[in-house]
Structure formats: structure tokens, C-alpha cells
Amino acid sequence: MTSTASAPTRSEPQAVPLHRPVSTALHRRPRLRLGALLALPLTWLVGLYIFSLALLLITAFWLVDPFTSLVRPGFTLDNFALLFSNPAYVSTSLRTLGIALAVTALSAVFAIPLGIFMAKIASPWMRAVLAVAITLPLWAGYLVKIVAMRITFTEEGFFNSVAGLIGGRGPGFGIPIVILTLTYLWFPYMALPVYTAIRQIPVNLFDASADLGAQGWTTIRTVVMPLLTPALIAGSVFTFSLSLGDYLAARFVGGPNSQMIGSIIASNINLNPPVAAAFSVVPIAFVVIYLLVTRRTGALERM
Amino acid sequence: MPATDTTAPATTPDAPSSETAGVELRGVSKHFGDMVAVRELDLTVAPGEFFSMLGPSGSGKTTVLRMIAGFEDVTSGQILLDGQDVTAAAPFDRTVNTVFQDYALFPHMTIAENVAYGLKVRKTPKTEITARVGESLEQVRLSHVADRLPHQLSGGQRQRIALARALILRPRVLLLDEPLGALDKQLREQMQIELKQIQREVGITFVFVTHDQEEALTLSDRIAVFNEGRVEQVGTPREVYEYPQTAFVASFLGISNLIPADLARELAGAEGAISVRPERVRLAATDASMSAAETSVIGTITETVYTGPATRYIVTTDYGLTIVAERHNDHAPDDTAPFHRGDQVRAIWYREHAALVP
């Protein structure tokens, strides 16, 4: 090999500057450097993400020819008016909102005590097991989990069989099972930020609170909860918005009368794209309102 | 056990601040799994005393403090507060309060809310809370930061707020867990004086945990020196410094010349190993005369260390014994030292200044 021979010469100081035209040009032009860095993500964000959303919004104002069922470009507010005038659409929106809020509340109620246990009480081994147990559902496909819930609660499923032994009936498909299924799906998104936030609360704040006379519940209310607020908001944005957009849970474990916004969008996507587009603005509006409300409470100001 | 007129501990937050209590530990042990943090500890802290628990980290001092506060259960033994057994009482049912090592201020509450917290959870009337928080902040001279959040304060300010938050409840015993550990040296010395003043003002028992021997000596009425879950010695600062009862105490508090038993017997007729403080050792020429009450060794100065107020000489004898002698620099500032590295000298001390350390 020549490397042994060339090694000594390589260590000598090099007087001749290296010729690297691209690096030199980039070094002289900071804006060009920034442009190169952002080219890909910006193409993605603007070209695909915002562009497709804009198209969706525009479609919501288009018309459908009543005779040919063809979509015609134009401008009408009828599609949006329909959201308010059709009682089925209004009740579906409200039902979806209720389900999303219930999923969020249920996730938080499970996540807080679990997080306190994991972060402050469990042994490191137990903590690792629970962390895996929480994230494990994320490894399984979304449909797999819905089917699992369907099998559990179906007519000949586990709960009906067990309840049947004592002459009763298990819970059938319906809104409560939809809420349960969606909580099952989105729980990790709430549990992880909450657990992380609780872990970051110094243990001696619990000691200090007890030392100053507060019992467990008072400590949770006055110390833990305020420090958890940002994590709860972060987690709830996921559970809330993901629930608002879901329709497969309603379809497979919802039974009758449990249509969600997604169900209506899905059924209109071919028949009447402008109505589907108008309806898909509703969950976006709910999320925006939700974020504005959390901002108004001032929960984030002291963070 | 002294007769007490106290009602249940939880209902005495409004007791006058002059009320104080002693702490007694009887045969207290604490195990964490297989690890023994505290072994069969007996300790009595008198009412109104400034009592320090001094020791290296892992010696069990903080565990003892946490057991007195109620944050840790005892494995066996009893803890008495003012003569009452509180071994099984929850932290919120004990009339003690704690100043934590890193202050443990609630980050989402203002300074005033932090100080008010204890009163608020006790459902104290609002007007009284306002008045007492005001007084409390006044006491630590921080009224002007009442509306700030803890992270906007300096370390020293946070320390004083932690003190105010604990003292506002008028505890009978205040527990302090290395409260000055996070401060720089100058601020620490200033806070030591302040702590001492506050303790005199409120007149309650302070139980103070520290690993800093100088801090313990400066502040305490009495010191318990901890080592490996046991108390090696309890006494006034002078007692533990001048008359250490064990080699550990001698070496943990300040610098100590430990002379092993056989050599001590030969040199000074001592009955065991002895400890001599460097400032008790004087250096002289090898042919210098000395009194009958003195002992000496001859050696070579192998190192001199100038520390400002004093100079330390490290003298090594032919048989490998090292003696540190300290000489005050009380001569003229530009005076050259009379001894230098490499000089043959005689290191001399009074036999009565040596403590027997079995």
C-alpha cells in the first residue's frame, strides 16, 4: 500500500489552498446556504401540504350539476349552508364533538394517575415495562386494533358470552364503544407527554407540598395539575383532533346512529365532493376553536 | 417525658413562634433494600438548639432529616417530637417544616403564592394570609419580589424565600437540608450569619444537615458527626474539633495529624493513636530546647503551602511519618519565612494538645 509512504507527507502543513468551489460559494452567501437547507422541507410543506389543503378549501365552494352529478368550478356557499340546515349534519357534528371531548377526557383521566405511578413510584424495571405497554399499541396497525375491539364487543364476543352466563348482555356496539375504541387508539399520544411532564416535576416539590401541610389530593390539584397543563394540552390536541377525523371506529364498532363527521365525508367523497370538502372544514374549525380556548384560559402563560 | 399542653400537631400552626420543641430519636434504623442507611441511631436535640448533622455524602444524615420530616418511614425505632411519638405521622401532621437543598419552590407560583402556600392549604383567612406573607417577606428583606416567579430570582433570594415559606407556619422545629450548598462561598458566608440571626429571632430548634465542616463549626450549638449510618461523636463545635473521639472525626473536621498507636506510644507515651491539629504544632531548629510537657519529631520540610493567613509546612520524618504544621503569617507581610523546603526541623507539640483517637 502506498499509505505508509504518503503518511509522513500528509502531516506536513499544506500551503496550497484546497480548491472547493461549491463550498466556497456557499460560504460567501448565507442566504444561499439557508435556501439549500430549506429547499426540500419547503417543497413538501408548500407544494403538497398547503397546496392540497387550499384545493380542498376551494372545492368546498364549487357546484355540483344536479342532472349530471358533475362538479363544476364556481362559487357558492350552499355547501356550507347545508352543514347548518341539514339536521342530520348538525347532530353528526355535535356527536363527533362530544365523542372527541369524551375520548380526550377519558385519556387524561387514565394518563395522570398512570404517569404519577410510572414517574414517581414504579421501579425502573416496572417503568420500562409500562412504557413499552403504553407504546405497544402504536406498533400494531390501526385497523388491527379496531378489529380487536370489534371481536371483543361483537354479538358473540367476549362480553356477551360472559354476561350471557348470568343471563345478561354485554355492551353492544354504540357510541360508548366508539369512545372506548378511540381512547384505545389515541391513548399513547396523551400518556407519553403526561408521563414525561410528571417525570420532570422534581420529587422534592411533592415533599415540599406535604411538608407545608398539603395532603395527596391537594398536592395533585395545586402542584401537579398546573405543571401538567402544557402536556395535557399537547396530548389533548392529538386525542381531540385524531378523534374528530376518525370514521372507521364508528363504522365497525358504532352500530346504528353513531355516524361521525368522517362517515359523512367518506360517503360524499365520490357523490358530492364539494359537500365533503365543506364538511372537512368542520373538524379544522373545532380544533382551531379548541386551541383558542386553551390559549384564553392563560394556562400556558406561566410556562 | 415532659408534660405538654399541646393539642394535636396538625392544629397548632398558629402557635406563637417562641414555642419550640426538642427532637428525640430512639434506636432508629433505616434500610433501603439491602443497604443500611442508618443504624440503631439514638440522638437527642434540645429545644431551641442549633443542631448540625455533619458527615460525608452517604453517611445517613439526610436520611435522618427526612425521617424527622416524615418523608421516609423508619425501618425500626421511634421518633419523638416534643415528647410525642410521631413515628407514624404523615409529614403534613408534624409541626416541623423543611428548607430543601435546592429550595423546592413551586415554579408555577409567584413568590407570594409560594410563601402563602402552607397557610392556604390550612384554610387560613385571606386577610391573615396577606398580612403574614407581608411580614414574612419583610423578615427576609424580599418584599419587592413578591410578584415574581422563582426562576426570576437569584440563588440567594430563592434560599431566603424557601426559609420564609417554611418559617411562616411557625414550626417548632425547622429542618434544613444543606440549604447553603448551592451558593457560592461569599454568599454562603453571608447567609450563615443571616441564618444564625433568624434562628435567634424565632428561637426555635434548627436541625441542620451539612457536609461542610466549617459551616457546622460556625453555626452550631452542637454537632453530630455522621459516618456510615452511625453517629461518631456528638458535642459542641469546640469539643468535636479539639477533642475528636475517633480518627474519622479528627480527619473529617479540619486537617489532622494522625499518629498511629505504636508510634504515639513510643513518642509520647500515649495509650493509642493520637491526633494533633496543625496549628498546635510549632517548628523549631533541630537543636532547639523544649519543655518536658512537649513531644517532638525531627524531619525534613517536603512542601510549604501559602494559604494567605497562614503557611502550612509538611514535614516528613525518616520513618515515613508526615506531620503538617501551620504557622500564622502574623509577622511583617514581606518578611521571608524562617523555614524553607528541604530544611531539617523539629516539629513540637504539647502532649495535652493531642487527642487520643481509639
Side-chain angles (χ1 to χ4, degrees), chain A residues 17-77:
Chain A
L18 288 168
H19 192 62
R20 289 178 182 151
V22 177
S23 300
T24 312
L26 280 175
H27 179 76
R28 293 214 185 106
R29 296 176 183 79
R31 277 168 177 276
L32 195 67
R33 238 160 42 214
L34 196 65
L37 183 70
L38 290 178
L40 271 178
L42 272 183
T43 311
W44 164 256
L45 194 68
V46 178
L48 270 161
Y49 196 81
I50 294 180
F51 180 71
S52 60
L53 274 180
L55 276 190
L56 175 81
L57 203 64
I58 292 168
T59 315
F61 296 101
W62 286 1
L63 313 157
V64 172
D65 189 298
F67 298 109
T68 60
S69 287
L70 287 177
V71 177
R72 276 196 290 116
F75 183 83
T76 174
L77 291 172

Side-chain angles (χ1 to χ4, degrees), chain B residues 10-77:
Chain B
T11 60
T12 51
D14 296 320
S17 57
S18 61
E19 270 200 59
T20 177
V23 182
E24 197 184 337
L25 278 76
R26 290 184 188 160
V28 170
S29 291
K30 176 69 184 176
H31 299 204
F32 293 104
D34 291 340
M35 210 268 287
V36 182
V38 178
R39 302 162 201 263
E40 290 290 313
L41 184 69
D42 293 298
L43 206 61
T44 308
V45 182
E49 192 174 28
F50 198 122
F51 189 87
S52 289
M53 302 199 283
L54 173 69
S57 60
S59 61
K61 57 194 194 307
T62 296
T63 307
V64 171
L65 191 90
R66 291 177 59 81
M67 287 191 290
I68 299 173
F71 305 140
E72 305 280 359
D73 295 330
V74 303
T75 306
S76 61

Side-chain angles (χ1 to χ4, degrees), chain A residues 204-205 207-216 218-219 222-223 226-227 302-303, chain B residues 66 71 92 97-98 100 102 104-109 113 117-118 121-122 165 169:
Chain A
N204 65 12
L205 290 191
D207 287 343
S209 182
D211 187 69
L212 294 166
Q215 303 185 13
T218 312
T219 302
T222 57
V223 178
L227 293 173
R302 284 189 176 186
M303 293 304 145
Chain B
R66 291 177 59 81
F71 305 140
F92 44 78
N97 286 113
T98 308
F100 293 87
D102 42 9
L105 298 179
F106 302 120
H108 58 294
M109 297 184 198
E113 285 167 349
Y117 189 77
V121 299
R122 282 174 173 72
R165 186 178 68 173
L169 298 173

Side-chain angles (χ1 to χ4, degrees), chain B residues 22-262:
Chain B
V23 182
E24 197 184 337
L25 278 76
R26 290 184 188 160
V28 170
S29 291
K30 176 69 184 176
H31 299 204
F32 293 104
D34 291 340
M35 210 268 287
V36 182
V38 178
R39 302 162 201 263
E40 290 290 313
L41 184 69
D42 293 298
L43 206 61
T44 308
V45 182
E49 192 174 28
F50 198 122
F51 189 87
S52 289
M53 302 199 283
L54 173 69
S57 60
S59 61
K61 57 194 194 307
T62 296
T63 307
V64 171
L65 191 90
R66 291 177 59 81
M67 287 191 290
I68 299 173
F71 305 140
E72 305 280 359
D73 295 330
V74 303
T75 306
S76 61
Q78 261 189 318
I79 296 174
L80 291 92
L81 257 177
D82 203 16
Q84 290 177 323
D85 189 342
V86 296
T87 315
F92 44 78
D93 285 333
R94 302 188 187 197
T95 49
V96 301
N97 286 113
T98 308
V99 176
F100 293 87
Q101 184 167 15
D102 42 9
Y103 323 130
L105 298 179
F106 302 120
H108 58 294
M109 297 184 198
T110 64
I111 295 309
E113 285 167 349
N114 262 286
V115 176
Y117 189 77
L119 295 175
K120 213 169 148 194
V121 299
R122 282 174 173 72
K123 309 241 175 341
T124 312
K126 274 224 168 64
T127 48
E128 193 190 332
I129 293 182
T130 317
R132 273 170 68 176
V133 168
E135 272 170 41
S136 231
L137 289 175
E138 194 88 17
Q139 187 179 25
V140 294
R141 302 189 316 278
L142 282 174
S143 309
H144 59 288
V145 300
D147 295 325
R148 289 194 209 158
L149 290 170
H151 72 87
Q152 296 168 309
L153 265 56
S154 70
Q157 288 174 323
R158 270 183 254 180
Q159 215 289 314
R160 271 146 58 192
I161 294 304
L163 198 61
R165 186 178 68 173
L167 284 174
I168 198 171
L169 298 173
R170 296 169 187 163
R172 290 156 169 251
V173 177
L174 186 73
L175 308 174
L176 303 103
D177 184 8
E178 306 236 8
L180 310 180
L183 305 179
D184 57 54
K185 190 167 160 43
Q186 230 165 358
L187 196 54
R188 198 159 66 222
E189 281 165 5
Q190 187 192 324
M191 282 304 301
Q192 286 173 3
I193 297 168
E194 215 162 301
L195 261 185
K196 192 81 190 160
Q197 279 171 348
I198 288 176
Q199 197 249 347
R200 216 171 288 130
E201 267 170 46
V202 296
I204 61 168
T205 314
F206 274 34
V207 179
F208 186 89
V209 162
T210 182
H211 65 268
D212 182 332
Q213 43 105 4
E214 200 182 309
E215 198 165 275
L217 291 174
T218 314
L219 288 171
S220 322
D221 294 321
R222 282 197 308 150
I223 300 172
V225 185
F226 278 69
N227 184 31
E228 293 182 346
R230 286 201 184 85
V231 168
E232 297 251 340
Q233 187 175 355
V234 184
T236 62
R238 187 175 289 275
E239 281 165 2
V240 293
Y241 184 77
E242 304 286 356
Y243 307 104
Q245 284 167 359
T246 68
F248 175 81
V249 175
S251 58
F252 193 72
L253 280 105
I255 301 171
S256 174
N257 293 304
L258 279 176
I259 298 168
D262 48 346

Side-chain angles (χ1 to χ4, degrees), chain A:
Chain A
M1 288 289 280
T2 53
S3 63
T4 42
S6 63
T9 51
R10 205 182 288 163
S11 64
E12 277 170 23
Q14 284 187 323
V16 185
L18 288 168
H19 192 62
R20 289 178 182 151
V22 177
S23 300
T24 312
L26 280 175
H27 179 76
R28 293 214 185 106
R29 296 176 183 79
R31 277 168 177 276
L32 195 67
R33 238 160 42 214
L34 196 65
L37 183 70
L38 290 178
L40 271 178
L42 272 183
T43 311
W44 164 256
L45 194 68
V46 178
L48 270 161
Y49 196 81
I50 294 180
F51 180 71
S52 60
L53 274 180
L55 276 190
L56 175 81
L57 203 64
I58 292 168
T59 315
F61 296 101
W62 286 1
L63 313 157
V64 172
D65 189 298
F67 298 109
T68 60
S69 287
L70 287 177
V71 177
R72 276 196 290 116
F75 183 83
T76 174
L77 291 172
D78 289 354
N79 300 320
F80 288 101
L82 198 62
L83 302 182
F84 297 98
S85 60
N86 186 332
Y89 286 0
V90 173
S91 64
T92 300
S93 295
L94 292 178
R95 187 187 306 124
T96 306
L97 179 66
I99 288 172
L101 288 174
V103 169
T104 301
L106 204 59
S107 299
V109 166
F110 292 156
I112 293 168
L114 180 70
I116 292 178
F117 175 77
M118 277 176 72
K120 302 296 173 200
I121 299 165
S123 63
W125 180 82
M126 182 59 134
R127 185 181 303 149
V129 168
L130 285 172
V132 171
I134 288 177
T135 44
L136 201 62
L138 292 177
W139 303 359
Y142 162 87
L143 265 178
V144 173
K145 284 175 276 185
I146 291 182
V147 172
M149 288 299 273
R150 185 175 166 86
I151 289 170
T152 310
F153 290 101
T154 192
E155 201 62 31
E156 298 83 31
F158 176 78
F159 282 99
N160 275 334
S161 310
V162 171
L165 295 178
I166 52 166
R169 271 185 61 85
F173 291 156
I175 290 171
I177 302 301
V178 171
I179 292 172
L180 223 56
T181 304
L182 290 174
T183 306
Y184 173 37
L185 287 174
W186 314 136
F187 180 66
Y189 297 100
M190 177 67 88
L192 290 180
V194 166
Y195 160 65
T196 311
I198 294 173
R199 259 200 102 158
Q200 283 168 354
I201 300 177
V203 179
N204 65 12
L205 290 191
F206 291 81
D207 287 343
S209 182
D211 187 69
L212 294 166
Q215 303 185 13
W217 175 242
T218 312
T219 302
I220 290 180
R221 195 168 48 80
T222 57
V223 178
V224 180
M225 286 309 287
L227 293 173
L228 276 192
T229 310
L232 282 172
I233 290 175
S236 66
V237 168
F238 285 110
T239 55
F240 184 68
S241 58
L242 288 171
S243 300
L244 282 179
D246 193 82
Y247 75 105
L248 285 176
R251 184 160 154 198
F252 287 112
V253 297
N257 299 323
S258 67
Q259 273 204 327
M260 293 178 70
I261 293 176
S263 324
I264 292 178
I265 296 173
S267 61
N268 274 308
I269 211 154
N270 289 318
L271 288 176
N272 195 335
V275 167
F279 223 146
S280 50
V281 174
V282 176
I284 298 174
F286 281 153
V287 172
V288 170
I289 291 168
Y290 179 75
L291 288 177
L292 289 177
V293 168
T294 53
R295 218 185 114 126
R296 264 201 88 116
T297 59
L300 295 171
E301 269 167 28
R302 284 189 176 186
M303 293 304 145

